[in-house]
Amino acid sequence: MTSPPRPPRPRPRPAPTRREFLWQVVAAASASACGGVNGGTDGSGEASSSSTTGSSTEATPTTTDAPTTTTGTTGEPALPGPPFTLGVASGDPLADRVILWTRLAPDPLAGGGMPETAIAVAWEVATDEAFTDVVASGEALAEPAFAHSVHVDAMGLEPDSWYFYRFHADDYTSPVGRTRTLPAPDSAPERLRLASASCQRFTTGYYTAYAHVAAEELDLVLFLGDYIYENGDSGPVRSHMSEECRTLLDYRNRYALYRGDAQLQAAHHRFPWAVIWDDHEVDNNYVADISAVDDPDFLARRTAAYQAFYEHMPIRVAPPTPEGLAIYRKFSWGDLAEVFLLDTRQYRTDQLCMDEPGEDCGELETEDGDMLGPQQEAWLTEGLSASPAIWKLIAQQIVFSKVDFSGLLINWDQWDGYPKARQRMLDFLASEQLENVVILAGDLHVGGMADLNAVAGDTNTPVVAVEIVTTSITSSSETDVPPETIEQLVATIPQIKHFNAHSRGYVTVELSRTELRAKFRIVDTIEAETAAVETEAELTVLAGVAGIQVP
């Protein structure tokens, strides 16, 4: 069938110069009412070896909680109140270092409430929670340009080791966080324990799942996108308390709202995280520098959103520029596992058929879409080919499996909307004969696990990988179709071995040298501040054996 003429997407504006970019950041921070930092990659997705933000001189921090009334201990203006309202976090560990994060924000929902000056923040890492054995310490600057956030690359640590960390500013001391380093690159670890999570819309419910994540025995949390939601809605139990985010101050306040949640903080305090974004960190279903609606100021909005994401995540990437923020990267757990963290949002081509789910509007026959962009795709395939790891995990945002119901209901925002890019990846996996490839996904607010065949959706072709989809922490389905109906439809797809369209929670993945075991953990409510949790399903993949082992 033919499709009606498609109105053009808005044309992107030219990228601002660096001076214009800095001016936009300053102007946005001071103009709106809605609502630090180094360590990075080299642009190719490889972790760099950058050091702490600001000064790295040794500090002798105080440990008292009482505020000062004159100037702080470092000679700067006294802080107007307790600054560590957003807690602490760690992430992107290497064998000898880890990123430590905090943000000074005495008035978190009003821009932070900090003076317009850089503040010295002391940090320390110890082998014990009482900090009697401090093994690394220093000082970083929390700068106004980055919302007084700090990213410390705490170096000189031992491989495969747990540590405790904390910060001091003025006469205040932060909560204590717990983190760890990766095993040495040439080691042969016996086990890796992960949790994957995604989609934590603040207004839809409480973060009851995170209380249980914090109680798990894990090594790392993988967050697969939609850390915040940009809209201005109110929900059954909570409200965003502001309009839709568009400026830097808007996004800063929104991150502060989410980061202030005690259950989310508990999960950050307990483990290091590796975080990637999806769309709601900027705007629903945006593509590269194109908004979902005709927004002539979208590039400035995206720049502000990327800046705020960088300011609030314990992430080992280079600072943002007017051109964007490269977040794809990888890490290795000895020879047991290699984890590739992707960006399926910033480099993709535009969705087909005006991004309206349904049958093909006539554009699919000539579709030549790109999901990862040439540079990221080459980085991924080269990394997978060269990886010596037993398990190769691809952590990305959206569902890879073919679930278009024979073309009757195509979701153009998922890999179903980019079939040539997906098939190119499947062809690569088949031709390289790679074993033990596992794709991790989120986004659709459903949980499931599926085999991936060499030809998408064709069970007559070999299984070349498996996919694990984690349901949302709180976000619910926005379709009018009842979850039970969706589950009945999906039950007709033979590749899908488990599916749940009605529950909230997370997935734990435990890897050994012989098997992968995935547990789908669901909570009984998100409408109360506490909830029980249960393992709804447990599935296994054996090393060297294609496909999911069905109980």
Side-chain angles (χ1 to χ4, degrees):
M1 91 184 161
T2 60
S3 59
R6 183 176 184 178
R9 287 271 196 158
R11 297 179 65 85
R13 293 184 172 184
T17 65
R18 187 170 296 276
R19 175 178 291 183
E20 290 170 339
F21 171 69
L22 292 174
W23 174 250
Q24 288 175 0
V25 169
V26 173
S30 61
S32 171
C34 171
V37 225
N38 286 323
T41 66
D42 59 10
S44 64
E46 298 293 341
S48 71
S49 57
S50 56
S51 59
T52 59
T53 299
S55 171
S56 60
T57 57
E58 293 294 317
T60 306
T62 65
T63 56
T64 59
D65 292 326
T68 59
T69 55
T70 55
T71 59
T73 57
T74 59
E76 293 135 352
L79 301 181
F84 297 110
T85 57
L86 306 182
V88 299
S90 68
D92 286 7
L94 299 178
D96 65 343
R97 67 196 64 185
V98 64
I99 298 293
L100 309 179
W101 173 92
T102 194
R103 178 188 168 200
L104 308 182
D107 193 357
L109 301 185
M114 288 290 293
E116 285 296 313
T117 186
I119 301 294
V121 179
W123 58 272
E124 48 188 351
V125 177
T127 59
D128 65 310
E129 195 168 4
F131 288 83
T132 60
D133 180 27
V134 174
V135 296
S137 62
E139 188 175 274
L141 285 179
E143 301 183 53
F146 292 104
H148 291 94
S149 63
V150 293
H151 292 54
V152 170
D153 202 355
M155 298 183 289
L157 307 179
E158 292 296 319
D160 201 14
S161 299
W162 285 96
Y163 292 97
F164 297 89
Y165 64 96
R166 64 186 177 186
F167 297 89
H168 308 276
D170 199 348
D171 282 341
Y172 295 95
T173 298
S174 76
V176 173
R178 176 176 173 263
T179 192
R180 65 160 302 147
T181 53
L182 301 182
D186 59 353
S187 65
E190 291 294 326
R191 184 173 63 173
L192 168 60
R193 301 161 299 183
L194 305 170
S196 62
S198 70
C199 303
Q200 52 188 36
R201 191 169 185 161
F202 186 83
T203 58
T204 309
Y206 293 106
Y207 294 156
T208 55
Y210 278 130
H212 297 288
V213 170
E216 300 273 4
E217 291 298 325
L218 303 173
D219 296 299
L220 188 78
V221 173
L222 294 177
F223 190 84
L224 303 178
D226 293 342
Y227 193 97
I228 63 165
Y229 279 68
E230 81 290 2
N231 54 55
D233 69 337
S234 296
V237 297
R238 302 197 280 196
S239 170
H240 275 146
M241 301 187 294
S242 62
E243 299 299 320
E244 183 164 341
C245 296
R246 297 186 179 277
T247 70
L248 179 57
L249 183 57
D250 295 348
Y251 285 105
R252 284 174 171 173
N253 287 345
R254 186 59 54 85
Y255 275 102
L257 178 67
Y258 281 55
R259 279 285 197 172
D261 184 272
Q263 291 170 316
L264 176 58
Q265 285 190 19
H268 273 294
H269 292 177
R270 181 72 173 163
F271 314 109
W273 285 40
V275 180
I276 51 178
W277 59 37
D278 191 22
D279 54 343
H280 285 290
E281 287 87 352
V282 181
D283 183 32
N284 181 46
N285 283 18
Y286 85 95
V287 173
D289 53 6
I290 304 171
S291 65
V293 297
D294 189 0
D295 182 358
D297 297 319
F298 181 70
L299 189 58
R301 180 183 182 184
R302 193 191 78 164
T303 296
Y306 284 6
Q307 173 83 10
F309 175 87
Y310 177 69
E311 291 171 348
H312 290 84
M313 295 298 143
I315 189 168
R316 186 183 297 281
V317 300
T321 70
E323 290 73 34
L325 176 60
I327 66 164
Y328 62 91
R329 58 207 192 276
K330 65 180 180 179
F331 65 87
S332 298
W333 196 266
D335 72 345
L336 178 62
E338 192 153 20
V339 183
F340 298 84
L341 300 147
L342 305 187
D343 181 353
T344 60
R345 188 58 57 180
Q346 189 174 184
Y347 309 109
R348 68 161 77 181
T349 53
D350 201 1
Q351 296 105 331
L352 301 180
C353 299
M354 296 300 296
D355 197 22
E356 292 291 340
E359 292 186 81
D360 177 24
C361 63
E363 297 180 357
L364 196 57
E365 183 176 351
T366 58
E367 179 268 338
D368 195 21
D370 199 352
M371 179 63 79
L372 302 178
Q375 182 175 340
Q376 182 180 197
E377 186 171 324
W379 168 83
L380 174 61
T381 55
E382 290 168 6
L384 288 169
S385 293
S387 176
I390 297 173
W391 299 96
K392 301 161 187 69
L393 306 185
I394 302 173
Q396 50 92 60
Q397 295 80 357
I398 54 177
V399 172
F400 191 90
S401 299
K402 187 175 182 179
V403 285
D404 64 357
F405 302 105
S406 301
L408 297 177
L409 182 59
I410 303 172
N411 186 334
W412 303 103
D413 194 55
Q414 305 294 306
W415 281 92
D416 271 344
Y418 298 78
K420 289 185 180 178
R422 174 173 60 193
Q423 191 57 51
R424 190 165 60 244
M425 183 60 59
L426 292 171
D427 290 344
F428 163 78
L429 296 177
S431 64
E432 294 289 314
Q433 298 183 328
L434 298 178
E435 292 185 330
N436 309 325
V437 176
V438 180
I439 296 178
L440 304 174
D443 185 54
L444 284 188
H445 314 159
V446 300
M449 195 162 174
D451 288 334
L452 299 173
N453 296 93
V455 175
D458 186 352
T459 55
N460 294 317
T461 60
V463 174
V464 296
V466 302
E467 179 172 31
I468 301 171
V469 180
T470 182
T471 189
S472 61
I473 292 293
T474 56
S475 305
S476 59
S477 174
E478 296 180 357
T479 178
D480 294 330
V481 181
E484 295 78 13
T485 301
I486 298 174
E487 290 169 352
Q488 291 172 3
L489 290 171
V490 171
T492 66
I493 302 175
Q495 298 94 325
I496 298 178
K497 308 304 181 183
H498 168 69
F499 186 78
N500 180 337
H502 63 275
S503 298
R504 311 278 73 84
Y506 57 96
V507 176
T508 63
V509 179
E510 183 169 343
L511 301 171
S512 73
R513 303 185 75 81
T514 59
E515 68 177 20
L516 175 153
R517 189 173 297 274
K519 293 182 180 180
F520 293 81
R521 304 277 281 161
I522 60 171
V523 293
D524 60 7
T525 184
I526 56 171
E527 295 182 359
E529 294 189 40
T530 60
V533 68
E534 65 174 328
T535 299
E536 180 202 31
E538 183 173 342
L539 290 93
T540 301
V541 179
L542 301 178
V545 179
I548 300 163
Q549 303 298 304
V550 179

